[in-house]
Amino acid sequence: MASRRNVACPENETLAKFVFEKWEEMAVKETFTDRLNATFSKAYKNLCDHKDPIFNLKGASKIKGVRKWMLTLLKQYFESNKDDSSQEVLEPRGEKFFMWFGYEPRIVLSDAELVRQLLSSKNLTDSGRSPMVQKMLSVAFGKGLLTVNGQKWSLTTSKTSVQFPASAFTT
């Protein structure tokens, strides 16, 4: 049996520890074969060398050497750590912070003034916004007043101004 290895991605540290401990636990049993040892060795090595965070069984299944039976072992790990990771997301972190959702980075704004500045910035309200910004807005807000531009925006605002006149919003 091999010794512990350094883990390339810090987020995978506890997962690698879990796999190593399961490997140690099974290695003392009489039914533990050389082939099983080789499977654990390969999966553990590849897990430690993996550079991206692994947050679920789908991510673990992409690691070379992780077999279906090993995924059943890893299911215990992901179920026991599910509550911890959701609590981490809900902790207050200030008015803006960076976090990962799977493999995609996100910037989260919780200050109303920052959100107002972002939504009123020229890049988001300009009719000549880039296709990437347009797609991002459509995904985030759906198809509505914020995401349309040009003639469609004019038509939509003229229809809503009848139902929501500016005088209704002044005190």
Side-chain angles (χ1 to χ4, degrees):
M1 180 161 162
S3 58
R4 287 204 179 199
R5 298 173 51 101
N6 289 330
V7 180
C9 179
E11 287 90 347
N12 297 339
E13 188 75 44
T14 56
L15 178 59
K17 181 181 176 195
F18 178 83
V19 170
F20 190 82
E21 288 172 356
K22 285 293 179 185
W23 186 8
E24 284 180 324
E25 183 183 308
M26 293 181 77
V28 297
K29 296 181 180 177
E30 279 185 31
T31 56
F32 195 74
T33 63
D34 288 341
R35 186 173 180 182
L36 200 52
N37 187 50
T39 301
F40 261 106
S41 177
K42 183 176 185 178
Y44 179 68
K45 177 194 173 300
N46 292 331
L47 171 65
C48 290
D49 293 343
H50 198 66
K51 291 181 179 20
D52 296 318
I54 301 167
F55 295 114
N56 52 35
L57 285 172
K58 185 176 181 181
S61 69
K62 294 178 181 178
I63 302 295
K64 202 169 189 175
V66 173
R67 305 282 183 239
K68 285 184 182 180
W69 62 268
M70 197 177 283
L71 289 173
T72 59
L73 291 175
L74 294 179
K75 188 175 182 181
Q76 296 171 357
Y77 169 80
F78 289 112
E79 286 177 353
S80 67
N81 289 318
K82 190 185 325 180
D83 295 334
D84 296 341
S85 62
S86 63
Q87 284 298 99
E88 182 182 324
V89 170
L90 297 176
E91 285 179 16
R93 298 180 183 221
E95 54 193 40
K96 60 183 174 190
F97 60 93
F98 176 84
M99 70 184 332
W100 288 88
F101 287 107
Y103 293 106
E104 295 186 21
R106 304 284 184 188
I107 295 176
V108 180
L109 302 175
S110 61
D111 181 43
E113 181 58 26
L114 288 175
V115 173
R116 187 193 65 74
Q117 287 176 12
L118 174 71
L119 294 179
S120 62
S121 75
K122 190 173 190 306
N123 290 335
L124 293 181
T125 58
D126 191 344
S127 62
R129 65 177 74 122
S130 73
M132 184 181 84
V133 170
Q134 183 68 32
K135 183 177 180 185
M136 178 191 74
L137 288 172
S138 295
V139 168
F141 299 106
K143 293 184 180 176
L145 191 56
L146 183 66
T147 59
V148 297
N149 55 27
Q151 181 125 15
K152 198 169 186 177
W153 182 85
S154 297
L155 182 63
T156 306
T157 54
S158 66
K159 286 180 181 177
T160 58
S161 65
V162 174
Q163 295 172 334
F164 300 102
S167 60
F169 297 104
T170 58
T171 55

Short mmCIF file of all heavy atoms in Angstrom, two decimals, residues 102-166:
data_model
loop_
_atom_site.label_atom_id
_atom_site.label_comp_id
_atom_site.label_asym_id
_atom_site.label_seq_id
_atom_site.Cartn_x
_atom_site.Cartn_y
_atom_site.Cartn_z
N GLY A 102 -19.87 24.45 -9.05
CA GLY A 102 -19.31 23.41 -9.91
C GLY A 102 -17.97 23.89 -10.44
O GLY A 102 -17.09 24.23 -9.67
N TYR A 103 -17.84 23.95 -11.73
CA TYR A 103 -16.59 24.38 -12.33
C TYR A 103 -16.65 25.82 -12.83
O TYR A 103 -15.74 26.28 -13.50
CB TYR A 103 -16.21 23.46 -13.49
CG TYR A 103 -15.85 22.08 -13.03
CD1 TYR A 103 -16.71 21.02 -13.21
CD2 TYR A 103 -14.66 21.85 -12.39
CE1 TYR A 103 -16.39 19.75 -12.79
CE2 TYR A 103 -14.31 20.59 -11.95
CZ TYR A 103 -15.18 19.55 -12.15
OH TYR A 103 -14.84 18.31 -11.71
N GLU A 104 -17.74 26.52 -12.53
CA GLU A 104 -17.89 27.87 -13.04
C GLU A 104 -17.74 28.89 -11.92
O GLU A 104 -18.43 28.81 -10.91
CB GLU A 104 -19.27 28.03 -13.69
CG GLU A 104 -19.44 27.17 -14.92
CD GLU A 104 -20.74 27.45 -15.63
OE1 GLU A 104 -21.32 28.53 -15.44
OE2 GLU A 104 -21.17 26.57 -16.38
N PRO A 105 -16.85 29.86 -12.11
CA PRO A 105 -16.70 30.91 -11.09
C PRO A 105 -17.84 31.91 -11.17
O PRO A 105 -18.37 32.18 -12.24
CB PRO A 105 -15.37 31.57 -11.46
CG PRO A 105 -15.24 31.33 -12.92
CD PRO A 105 -15.92 30.02 -13.21
N ARG A 106 -18.24 32.44 -10.03
CA ARG A 106 -19.31 33.44 -9.98
C ARG A 106 -18.89 34.57 -9.05
O ARG A 106 -18.23 34.35 -8.05
CB ARG A 106 -20.61 32.85 -9.41
CG ARG A 106 -21.13 31.65 -10.12
CD ARG A 106 -21.77 32.00 -11.39
NE ARG A 106 -22.32 30.75 -11.94
CZ ARG A 106 -22.83 30.66 -13.11
NH1 ARG A 106 -22.90 31.68 -13.87
NH2 ARG A 106 -23.28 29.51 -13.55
N ILE A 107 -19.30 35.76 -9.38
CA ILE A 107 -19.14 36.90 -8.47
C ILE A 107 -20.53 37.18 -7.93
O ILE A 107 -21.49 37.33 -8.69
CB ILE A 107 -18.57 38.13 -9.20
CG1 ILE A 107 -17.15 37.82 -9.66
CG2 ILE A 107 -18.60 39.34 -8.28
CD1 ILE A 107 -16.52 38.92 -10.48
N VAL A 108 -20.65 37.24 -6.61
CA VAL A 108 -21.94 37.44 -5.96
C VAL A 108 -21.95 38.83 -5.32
O VAL A 108 -21.02 39.19 -4.59
CB VAL A 108 -22.18 36.36 -4.89
CG1 VAL A 108 -23.51 36.57 -4.21
CG2 VAL A 108 -22.10 34.97 -5.52
N LEU A 109 -22.98 39.59 -5.62
CA LEU A 109 -23.14 40.92 -5.04
C LEU A 109 -24.32 40.88 -4.07
O LEU A 109 -25.41 40.43 -4.43
CB LEU A 109 -23.42 41.96 -6.13
CG LEU A 109 -22.37 42.10 -7.22
CD1 LEU A 109 -22.86 43.09 -8.27
CD2 LEU A 109 -21.05 42.54 -6.65
N SER A 110 -24.11 41.37 -2.85
CA SER A 110 -25.21 41.39 -1.89
C SER A 110 -25.55 42.80 -1.43
O SER A 110 -26.48 43.00 -0.67
CB SER A 110 -24.87 40.52 -0.68
OG SER A 110 -23.71 41.03 -0.03
N ASP A 111 -24.82 43.79 -1.89
CA ASP A 111 -25.08 45.17 -1.54
C ASP A 111 -25.97 45.79 -2.62
O ASP A 111 -25.64 45.74 -3.82
CB ASP A 111 -23.75 45.92 -1.43
CG ASP A 111 -23.94 47.37 -1.04
OD1 ASP A 111 -24.77 47.63 -0.14
OD2 ASP A 111 -23.27 48.24 -1.64
N ALA A 112 -27.08 46.38 -2.22
CA ALA A 112 -28.04 46.93 -3.17
C ALA A 112 -27.42 48.02 -4.05
O ALA A 112 -27.71 48.11 -5.24
CB ALA A 112 -29.25 47.49 -2.43
N GLU A 113 -26.55 48.82 -3.48
CA GLU A 113 -25.91 49.89 -4.26
C GLU A 113 -25.02 49.32 -5.36
O GLU A 113 -25.00 49.81 -6.48
CB GLU A 113 -25.11 50.82 -3.34
CG GLU A 113 -24.43 51.97 -4.05
CD GLU A 113 -25.37 52.89 -4.83
OE1 GLU A 113 -26.57 52.99 -4.49
OE2 GLU A 113 -24.91 53.50 -5.79
N LEU A 114 -24.28 48.24 -5.05
CA LEU A 114 -23.43 47.60 -6.06
C LEU A 114 -24.27 47.00 -7.18
O LEU A 114 -23.93 47.09 -8.36
CB LEU A 114 -22.55 46.52 -5.44
CG LEU A 114 -21.40 47.01 -4.58
CD1 LEU A 114 -20.70 45.81 -3.92
CD2 LEU A 114 -20.41 47.80 -5.39
N VAL A 115 -25.40 46.39 -6.82
CA VAL A 115 -26.30 45.81 -7.83
C VAL A 115 -26.86 46.92 -8.71
O VAL A 115 -26.91 46.80 -9.93
CB VAL A 115 -27.43 44.99 -7.16
CG1 VAL A 115 -28.45 44.55 -8.18
CG2 VAL A 115 -26.86 43.80 -6.42
N ARG A 116 -27.26 48.05 -8.10
CA ARG A 116 -27.78 49.19 -8.87
C ARG A 116 -26.72 49.70 -9.85
O ARG A 116 -27.01 49.95 -11.02
CB ARG A 116 -28.22 50.32 -7.95
CG ARG A 116 -28.92 51.46 -8.70
CD ARG A 116 -29.09 52.71 -7.86
NE ARG A 116 -27.82 53.32 -7.50
CZ ARG A 116 -27.03 54.02 -8.35
NH1 ARG A 116 -27.38 54.17 -9.60
NH2 ARG A 116 -25.90 54.56 -7.93
N GLN A 117 -25.47 49.83 -9.37
CA GLN A 117 -24.40 50.31 -10.25
C GLN A 117 -24.18 49.35 -11.41
O GLN A 117 -23.98 49.77 -12.55
CB GLN A 117 -23.10 50.47 -9.46
CG GLN A 117 -23.09 51.65 -8.53
CD GLN A 117 -21.82 51.70 -7.69
OE1 GLN A 117 -20.87 50.99 -7.95
NE2 GLN A 117 -21.84 52.55 -6.67
N LEU A 118 -24.19 48.05 -11.11
CA LEU A 118 -23.98 47.06 -12.16
C LEU A 118 -25.08 47.11 -13.20
O LEU A 118 -24.82 47.17 -14.40
CB LEU A 118 -23.89 45.65 -11.56
CG LEU A 118 -23.82 44.51 -12.58
CD1 LEU A 118 -22.45 44.52 -13.26
CD2 LEU A 118 -24.07 43.19 -11.93
N LEU A 119 -26.34 47.11 -12.74
CA LEU A 119 -27.46 47.07 -13.67
C LEU A 119 -27.65 48.38 -14.44
O LEU A 119 -28.26 48.39 -15.50
CB LEU A 119 -28.75 46.69 -12.93
CG LEU A 119 -28.77 45.28 -12.36
CD1 LEU A 119 -30.08 45.03 -11.62
CD2 LEU A 119 -28.56 44.23 -13.44
N SER A 120 -27.11 49.48 -13.93
CA SER A 120 -27.25 50.74 -14.66
C SER A 120 -25.98 51.11 -15.42
O SER A 120 -25.91 52.18 -16.02
CB SER A 120 -27.62 51.87 -13.69
OG SER A 120 -26.60 52.05 -12.73
N SER A 121 -24.99 50.23 -15.41
CA SER A 121 -23.75 50.54 -16.11
C SER A 121 -23.96 50.51 -17.63
O SER A 121 -24.85 49.84 -18.14
CB SER A 121 -22.64 49.57 -15.72
OG SER A 121 -22.84 48.32 -16.33
N LYS A 122 -23.14 51.25 -18.34
CA LYS A 122 -23.26 51.37 -19.78
C LYS A 122 -23.14 50.01 -20.49
O LYS A 122 -23.82 49.76 -21.48
CB LYS A 122 -22.18 52.32 -20.30
CG LYS A 122 -22.34 52.71 -21.76
CD LYS A 122 -21.32 53.77 -22.10
CE LYS A 122 -21.51 54.41 -23.42
NZ LYS A 122 -21.60 53.69 -24.58
N ASN A 123 -22.30 49.13 -19.97
CA ASN A 123 -22.12 47.82 -20.59
C ASN A 123 -23.40 46.99 -20.58
O ASN A 123 -23.62 46.18 -21.46
CB ASN A 123 -21.02 47.04 -19.89
CG ASN A 123 -19.66 47.62 -20.15
OD1 ASN A 123 -19.45 48.29 -21.14
ND2 ASN A 123 -18.75 47.38 -19.23
N LEU A 124 -24.24 47.19 -19.57
CA LEU A 124 -25.47 46.40 -19.49
C LEU A 124 -26.66 47.08 -20.15
O LEU A 124 -27.58 46.42 -20.60
CB LEU A 124 -25.80 46.08 -18.03
CG LEU A 124 -24.82 45.14 -17.33
CD1 LEU A 124 -25.26 44.89 -15.91
CD2 LEU A 124 -24.70 43.82 -18.07
N THR A 125 -26.65 48.40 -20.19
CA THR A 125 -27.82 49.09 -20.74
C THR A 125 -27.61 49.55 -22.17
O THR A 125 -28.56 49.89 -22.84
CB THR A 125 -28.19 50.31 -19.86
OG1 THR A 125 -27.05 51.18 -19.81
CG2 THR A 125 -28.59 49.88 -18.47
N ASP A 126 -26.40 49.57 -22.64
CA ASP A 126 -26.10 50.02 -24.00
C ASP A 126 -26.75 49.07 -25.01
O ASP A 126 -26.67 47.86 -24.89
CB ASP A 126 -24.59 50.05 -24.20
CG ASP A 126 -24.19 50.76 -25.48
OD1 ASP A 126 -25.06 50.95 -26.34
OD2 ASP A 126 -23.02 51.12 -25.60
N SER A 127 -27.37 49.63 -26.02
CA SER A 127 -28.02 48.79 -27.03
C SER A 127 -27.00 48.00 -27.86
O SER A 127 -27.36 47.04 -28.51
CB SER A 127 -28.91 49.64 -27.94
OG SER A 127 -28.10 50.58 -28.63
N GLY A 128 -25.74 48.41 -27.82
CA GLY A 128 -24.71 47.71 -28.57
C GLY A 128 -23.92 46.73 -27.70
O GLY A 128 -22.75 46.50 -27.95
N ARG A 129 -24.56 46.16 -26.68
CA ARG A 129 -23.83 45.26 -25.79
C ARG A 129 -23.37 44.01 -26.53
O ARG A 129 -23.99 43.60 -27.51
CB ARG A 129 -24.66 44.91 -24.57
CG ARG A 129 -25.90 44.11 -24.86
CD ARG A 129 -26.65 43.74 -23.58
NE ARG A 129 -27.33 44.84 -22.98
CZ ARG A 129 -28.63 44.86 -22.73
NH1 ARG A 129 -29.38 43.84 -23.02
NH2 ARG A 129 -29.18 45.90 -22.17
N SER A 130 -22.31 43.44 -26.03
CA SER A 130 -21.71 42.27 -26.69
C SER A 130 -22.63 41.06 -26.58
O SER A 130 -23.44 40.97 -25.64
CB SER A 130 -20.36 41.95 -26.07
OG SER A 130 -20.52 41.38 -24.80
N PRO A 131 -22.52 40.10 -27.51
CA PRO A 131 -23.34 38.89 -27.45
C PRO A 131 -23.12 38.11 -26.15
O PRO A 131 -24.04 37.52 -25.62
CB PRO A 131 -22.88 38.08 -28.66
CG PRO A 131 -22.29 39.07 -29.59
CD PRO A 131 -21.72 40.15 -28.74
N MET A 132 -21.88 38.14 -25.63
CA MET A 132 -21.60 37.42 -24.39
C MET A 132 -22.37 38.04 -23.22
O MET A 132 -22.99 37.34 -22.42
CB MET A 132 -20.10 37.44 -24.08
CG MET A 132 -19.73 36.63 -22.86
SD MET A 132 -17.98 36.69 -22.51
CE MET A 132 -17.89 38.21 -21.59
N VAL A 133 -22.37 39.37 -23.14
CA VAL A 133 -23.10 40.06 -22.07
C VAL A 133 -24.60 39.82 -22.25
O VAL A 133 -25.32 39.55 -21.28
CB VAL A 133 -22.77 41.56 -22.06
CG1 VAL A 133 -23.70 42.33 -21.13
CG2 VAL A 133 -21.33 41.78 -21.66
N GLN A 134 -25.08 39.87 -23.49
CA GLN A 134 -26.49 39.62 -23.77
C GLN A 134 -26.91 38.22 -23.30
O GLN A 134 -27.95 38.05 -22.68
CB GLN A 134 -26.77 39.79 -25.27
CG GLN A 134 -28.22 39.64 -25.66
CD GLN A 134 -29.08 40.76 -25.13
OE1 GLN A 134 -28.64 41.90 -25.00
NE2 GLN A 134 -30.33 40.45 -24.82
N LYS A 135 -26.07 37.23 -23.60
CA LYS A 135 -26.38 35.85 -23.20
C LYS A 135 -26.38 35.71 -21.69
O LYS A 135 -27.26 35.09 -21.11
CB LYS A 135 -25.38 34.88 -23.82
CG LYS A 135 -25.69 33.45 -23.51
CD LYS A 135 -24.73 32.49 -24.19
CE LYS A 135 -25.13 31.07 -23.81
NZ LYS A 135 -24.21 30.10 -24.32
N MET A 136 -25.39 36.34 -21.03
CA MET A 136 -25.30 36.29 -19.57
C MET A 136 -26.55 36.89 -18.93
O MET A 136 -27.13 36.32 -18.01
CB MET A 136 -24.06 37.03 -19.10
CG MET A 136 -23.91 37.07 -17.60
SD MET A 136 -22.62 38.21 -17.06
CE MET A 136 -23.43 39.78 -17.34
N LEU A 137 -27.00 38.02 -19.45
CA LEU A 137 -28.20 38.65 -18.91
C LEU A 137 -29.44 37.80 -19.14
O LEU A 137 -30.31 37.70 -18.27
CB LEU A 137 -28.39 40.03 -19.53
CG LEU A 137 -27.42 41.11 -19.07
CD1 LEU A 137 -27.60 42.36 -19.89
CD2 LEU A 137 -27.59 41.39 -17.60
N SER A 138 -29.54 37.18 -20.32
CA SER A 138 -30.69 36.33 -20.61
C SER A 138 -30.75 35.13 -19.68
O SER A 138 -31.82 34.75 -19.21
CB SER A 138 -30.65 35.86 -22.05
OG SER A 138 -30.79 36.94 -22.92
N VAL A 139 -29.59 34.55 -19.40
CA VAL A 139 -29.54 33.41 -18.48
C VAL A 139 -29.91 33.85 -17.07
O VAL A 139 -30.67 33.20 -16.38
CB VAL A 139 -28.14 32.75 -18.51
CG1 VAL A 139 -27.99 31.76 -17.38
CG2 VAL A 139 -27.91 32.07 -19.84
N ALA A 140 -29.37 34.99 -16.65
CA ALA A 140 -29.60 35.47 -15.28
C ALA A 140 -31.01 35.99 -15.06
O ALA A 140 -31.62 35.72 -14.03
CB ALA A 140 -28.58 36.55 -14.94
N PHE A 141 -31.57 36.75 -16.03
CA PHE A 141 -32.83 37.43 -15.81
C PHE A 141 -33.97 37.00 -16.72
O PHE A 141 -35.06 37.54 -16.63
CB PHE A 141 -32.63 38.95 -15.94
CG PHE A 141 -31.65 39.51 -14.96
CD1 PHE A 141 -30.38 39.89 -15.35
CD2 PHE A 141 -31.99 39.64 -13.62
CE1 PHE A 141 -29.48 40.40 -14.45
CE2 PHE A 141 -31.10 40.15 -12.70
CZ PHE A 141 -29.83 40.53 -13.11
N GLY A 142 -33.73 36.07 -17.63
CA GLY A 142 -34.76 35.65 -18.56
C GLY A 142 -34.96 36.68 -19.66
O GLY A 142 -34.16 37.59 -19.83
N LYS A 143 -36.04 36.55 -20.39
CA LYS A 143 -36.31 37.49 -21.48
C LYS A 143 -37.32 38.52 -20.98
O LYS A 143 -38.49 38.24 -20.85
CB LYS A 143 -36.86 36.75 -22.70
CG LYS A 143 -35.83 35.84 -23.31
CD LYS A 143 -36.30 35.17 -24.55
CE LYS A 143 -35.17 34.29 -25.04
NZ LYS A 143 -35.48 33.52 -26.18
N GLY A 144 -36.80 39.68 -20.69
CA GLY A 144 -37.66 40.74 -20.17
C GLY A 144 -37.08 42.10 -20.49
O GLY A 144 -36.21 42.24 -21.35
N LEU A 145 -37.55 43.10 -19.77
CA LEU A 145 -37.18 44.48 -20.03
C LEU A 145 -35.68 44.71 -19.92
O LEU A 145 -35.11 45.49 -20.67
CB LEU A 145 -37.94 45.39 -19.06
CG LEU A 145 -37.88 46.89 -19.34
CD1 LEU A 145 -38.37 47.18 -20.74
CD2 LEU A 145 -38.70 47.64 -18.32
N LEU A 146 -35.04 44.05 -18.99
CA LEU A 146 -33.60 44.24 -18.80
C LEU A 146 -32.78 43.65 -19.93
O LEU A 146 -31.72 44.17 -20.27
CB LEU A 146 -33.17 43.62 -17.46
CG LEU A 146 -31.71 43.80 -17.09
CD1 LEU A 146 -31.40 45.27 -16.85
CD2 LEU A 146 -31.37 42.98 -15.87
N THR A 147 -33.26 42.58 -20.53
CA THR A 147 -32.45 41.88 -21.52
C THR A 147 -32.75 42.24 -22.97
O THR A 147 -32.01 41.86 -23.85
CB THR A 147 -32.61 40.35 -21.35
OG1 THR A 147 -33.98 40.01 -21.51
CG2 THR A 147 -32.11 39.90 -20.01
N VAL A 148 -33.84 42.97 -23.20
CA VAL A 148 -34.13 43.36 -24.58
C VAL A 148 -33.51 44.72 -24.86
O VAL A 148 -33.21 45.48 -23.95
CB VAL A 148 -35.65 43.40 -24.88
CG1 VAL A 148 -36.26 42.04 -24.73
CG2 VAL A 148 -36.35 44.40 -24.02
N ASN A 149 -33.31 45.02 -26.14
CA ASN A 149 -32.77 46.33 -26.49
C ASN A 149 -33.33 46.78 -27.84
O ASN A 149 -34.05 46.05 -28.49
CB ASN A 149 -31.24 46.32 -26.49
CG ASN A 149 -30.66 45.25 -27.39
OD1 ASN A 149 -31.28 44.84 -28.36
ND2 ASN A 149 -29.47 44.78 -27.07
N GLY A 150 -33.01 48.00 -28.20
CA GLY A 150 -33.46 48.51 -29.49
C GLY A 150 -34.96 48.71 -29.58
O GLY A 150 -35.62 49.15 -28.65
N GLN A 151 -35.51 48.35 -30.74
CA GLN A 151 -36.93 48.53 -31.02
C GLN A 151 -37.81 47.74 -30.04
O GLN A 151 -38.84 48.22 -29.60
CB GLN A 151 -37.22 48.10 -32.45
CG GLN A 151 -38.68 48.29 -32.83
CD GLN A 151 -38.81 49.13 -34.06
OE1 GLN A 151 -37.86 49.34 -34.78
NE2 GLN A 151 -40.02 49.61 -34.31
N LYS A 152 -37.37 46.53 -29.70
CA LYS A 152 -38.14 45.69 -28.77
C LYS A 152 -38.23 46.37 -27.40
O LYS A 152 -39.26 46.33 -26.74
CB LYS A 152 -37.50 44.31 -28.67
CG LYS A 152 -38.42 43.26 -28.11
CD LYS A 152 -37.81 41.88 -28.30
CE LYS A 152 -38.80 40.83 -27.88
NZ LYS A 152 -38.32 39.49 -28.09
N TRP A 153 -37.13 47.01 -26.95
CA TRP A 153 -37.13 47.71 -25.67
C TRP A 153 -38.11 48.87 -25.72
O TRP A 153 -38.90 49.07 -24.80
CB TRP A 153 -35.72 48.21 -25.34
CG TRP A 153 -35.64 48.91 -24.02
CD1 TRP A 153 -35.46 48.34 -22.80
CD2 TRP A 153 -35.77 50.31 -23.79
NE1 TRP A 153 -35.46 49.30 -21.81
CE2 TRP A 153 -35.65 50.53 -22.41
CE3 TRP A 153 -35.97 51.41 -24.62
CZ2 TRP A 153 -35.72 51.79 -21.83
CZ3 TRP A 153 -36.05 52.68 -24.04
CH2 TRP A 153 -35.92 52.85 -22.66
N SER A 154 -38.08 49.64 -26.80
CA SER A 154 -38.98 50.79 -26.94
C SER A 154 -40.44 50.36 -26.90
O SER A 154 -41.27 50.97 -26.23
CB SER A 154 -38.71 51.53 -28.26
OG SER A 154 -37.43 52.05 -28.28
N LEU A 155 -40.76 49.29 -27.62
CA LEU A 155 -42.13 48.78 -27.66
C LEU A 155 -42.58 48.31 -26.27
O LEU A 155 -43.66 48.64 -25.81
CB LEU A 155 -42.23 47.63 -28.67
CG LEU A 155 -43.60 47.01 -28.85
CD1 LEU A 155 -44.59 48.03 -29.42
CD2 LEU A 155 -43.52 45.81 -29.77
N THR A 156 -41.71 47.59 -25.59
CA THR A 156 -42.04 47.06 -24.26
C THR A 156 -42.23 48.18 -23.26
O THR A 156 -43.19 48.17 -22.48
CB THR A 156 -40.93 46.10 -23.77
OG1 THR A 156 -40.72 45.11 -24.76
CG2 THR A 156 -41.32 45.43 -22.47
N THR A 157 -41.33 49.17 -23.25
CA THR A 157 -41.47 50.27 -22.27
C THR A 157 -42.68 51.14 -22.57
O THR A 157 -43.32 51.64 -21.66
CB THR A 157 -40.19 51.15 -22.23
OG1 THR A 157 -39.87 51.59 -23.54
CG2 THR A 157 -39.04 50.40 -21.61
N SER A 158 -43.02 51.31 -23.85
CA SER A 158 -44.21 52.13 -24.17
C SER A 158 -45.49 51.42 -23.69
O SER A 158 -46.42 52.07 -23.23
CB SER A 158 -44.29 52.43 -25.66
OG SER A 158 -44.50 51.25 -26.40
N LYS A 159 -45.50 50.10 -23.76
CA LYS A 159 -46.67 49.35 -23.28
C LYS A 159 -46.78 49.41 -21.76
O LYS A 159 -47.87 49.56 -21.22
CB LYS A 159 -46.58 47.89 -23.72
CG LYS A 159 -46.87 47.66 -25.17
CD LYS A 159 -46.76 46.19 -25.50
CE LYS A 159 -47.01 45.92 -26.95
NZ LYS A 159 -46.84 44.49 -27.29
N THR A 160 -45.65 49.30 -21.08
CA THR A 160 -45.69 49.29 -19.61
C THR A 160 -45.88 50.69 -19.03
O THR A 160 -46.40 50.83 -17.92
CB THR A 160 -44.42 48.67 -19.02
OG1 THR A 160 -43.29 49.39 -19.48
CG2 THR A 160 -44.30 47.21 -19.34
N SER A 161 -45.48 51.74 -19.75
CA SER A 161 -45.62 53.10 -19.21
C SER A 161 -47.09 53.49 -19.05
O SER A 161 -47.42 54.33 -18.22
CB SER A 161 -44.88 54.10 -20.08
OG SER A 161 -45.46 54.17 -21.35
N VAL A 162 -47.97 52.90 -19.83
CA VAL A 162 -49.41 53.17 -19.69
C VAL A 162 -49.91 52.59 -18.36
O VAL A 162 -50.66 53.24 -17.64
CB VAL A 162 -50.19 52.56 -20.89
CG1 VAL A 162 -51.68 52.69 -20.67
CG2 VAL A 162 -49.75 53.20 -22.18
N GLN A 163 -49.47 51.39 -18.03
CA GLN A 163 -49.93 50.74 -16.81
C GLN A 163 -49.18 51.23 -15.57
O GLN A 163 -49.71 51.18 -14.47
CB GLN A 163 -49.78 49.23 -16.93
CG GLN A 163 -50.68 48.65 -18.01
CD GLN A 163 -50.39 47.18 -18.26
OE1 GLN A 163 -49.29 46.71 -18.03
NE2 GLN A 163 -51.39 46.47 -18.74
N PHE A 164 -47.97 51.68 -15.75
CA PHE A 164 -47.14 52.14 -14.63
C PHE A 164 -46.60 53.54 -14.92
O PHE A 164 -45.42 53.69 -15.24
CB PHE A 164 -45.98 51.17 -14.39
CG PHE A 164 -46.39 49.78 -14.08
CD1 PHE A 164 -46.33 48.80 -15.05
CD2 PHE A 164 -46.85 49.44 -12.82
CE1 PHE A 164 -46.71 47.51 -14.77
CE2 PHE A 164 -47.24 48.15 -12.53
CZ PHE A 164 -47.18 47.15 -13.51
N PRO A 165 -47.43 54.57 -14.83
CA PRO A 165 -46.95 55.91 -15.12
C PRO A 165 -45.92 56.36 -14.07
O PRO A 165 -45.95 55.91 -12.93
CB PRO A 165 -48.20 56.76 -15.07
CG PRO A 165 -49.16 56.00 -14.22
CD PRO A 165 -48.83 54.54 -14.44
N ALA A 166 -45.02 57.25 -14.46
CA ALA A 166 -43.98 57.73 -13.56
C ALA A 166 -44.55 58.39 -12.33
O ALA A 166 -43.98 58.32 -11.24
CB ALA A 166 -43.07 58.70 -14.31
#
